[in-house]
Amino acid sequence: MDKVYVQGMAFYGFHGAFKEENKLGQRFYADVIMEMDTKKPGKTDDLDDTVNYALVYETAKEVLEGDPVKLVETLTDKLSRLILERFELVQAVTVKITKPDPPIPGHYDSVAVEVRRERGFEEL
């Protein structure tokens, strides 16, 4: 399966387990890898035959700038499900959400969660 990458999307959201995170907000980054057949758009050079990257960005923006959640795991799951729901050509998707500068004493880089979902995966 071919892969289409939309990486380094940056958003400002109010997600986190602590009230301060929900009040002050912070940056979040999203990386998306979509597994799909790109033979047709490769031949036709037609945007209608593939996934519009701008719409993928808007979907990520909706989730990451949307209603606050506590966990990065929730964000990655929600975004992966929406991509599979909205983009029929995508057979599987890997979503990585990075939260830089988490409020963890002595930790100054980032935390990230990556999930892979495919069409037809079982619900929990």
Side-chain angles (χ1 to χ4, degrees), residues 38-50:
T38 63
K39 286 193 257 357
K40 185 175 180 182
K43 290 179 183 177
T44 65
D45 198 31
D46 188 339
L47 183 59
D48 290 334
D49 291 334
T50 191

Side-chain angles (χ1 to χ4, degrees), residues 10-15 23-28 61 64-66:
F11 305 97
Y12 200 87
F14 295 85
H15 313 289
K23 184 177 179 180
L24 299 173
Q26 71 176 81
R27 293 172 296 137
F28 290 85
K61 181 178 180 176
L64 282 114
E65 293 185 357

Side-chain angles (χ1 to χ4, degrees), residues 13-26 28 67-75 99-104 111:
F14 295 85
H15 313 289
F18 301 112
K19 289 182 182 181
E20 297 81 17
E21 294 176 291
N22 303 140
K23 184 177 179 180
L24 299 173
Q26 71 176 81
F28 290 85
D67 293 334
V69 299
K70 293 178 184 173
L71 303 177
V72 177
E73 291 86 343
T74 304
L75 291 172
K99 180 179 184 175
D101 305 315
I104 301 170
V111 296

